[in-house]
Amino acid sequence: MAPNHRISRDQDLEQMQSLVDFTRARLGTEAQSPFGSSVVETETGRLVLRRLNAVRKENDPSSHAEVRTMRAACKRLKKPSLAGHTLYTTCEPCPMCMAMALWSGVDRVVFGATIADASKHCAQIYVSAKQLQQRSDMDCRVEGPVARASCVALFEDPRMVEAMSLWRKSRRMTSKQKPSKR
């Protein structure tokens, strides 16, 4: 991480609220998800881009908001490194997303809702972003929760509660189906 990057709590709150607003504006649409993510330049706070989770839309279990955002940011910047950038996410990154953040070299990861908050609404892997960072030799600050209540409210929006309930039911039905005998 570049030295002397002093991001204030107010700047983090502003970035997170902007991301929450972006995510909330898409609730009730085909793209709805409580999981939103953005990549911003650490030094200037300039937004590079934002994305939402698209696992169901793309039928791809790796299409988490953070992964999609970092992939698109690297393509836009035409380099595989996000050094000099901060990843904001409405929910604490899962191990897959946090590993990608570490591999991409982001300066910071700032999250809103915690894994425990998300687990009330959908399946989670209980390894914190901070634990994963501590077990790596990569330099990345993990900060959160920031604007936790606003991020948790995305999960609790009635449109998301209904959507996640339907998703859980379809997942249970699929996992209970037995393979056909040949």
Side-chain angles (χ1 to χ4, degrees), residues 30-94:
E30 183 182 320
Q32 75 179 357
S33 173
F35 299 99
S37 182
S38 60
V39 169
V40 304
E41 290 179 353
T42 301
E43 195 169 305
T44 66
R46 182 186 72 81
L47 176 68
V48 175
L49 56 80
R50 298 179 189 144
R51 292 287 186 269
L52 297 175
N53 177 305
V55 168
R56 302 219 9 113
K57 181 180 177 191
E58 296 177 0
N59 295 308
D60 179 352
S62 71
S63 288
H64 289 200
E66 300 91 337
V67 169
R68 294 181 75 234
T69 304
M70 289 183 280
R71 282 180 181 157
C74 287
K75 285 181 183 178
R76 180 170 287 172
L77 298 169
K78 296 182 170 92
K79 59 183 183 173
S81 172
L82 292 174
H85 293 83
T86 296
L87 177 71
Y88 288 89
T89 180
T90 58
C91 187
E92 184 173 1
C94 74

Side-chain angles (χ1 to χ4, degrees), residues 92-101 115 124-129 132:
E92 184 173 1
C94 74
M96 174 184 69
C97 295
M98 188 60 204
M100 185 165 173
I115 289 171
Q124 292 296 308
I125 298 172
Y126 294 91
V127 178
S128 76
L132 208 59

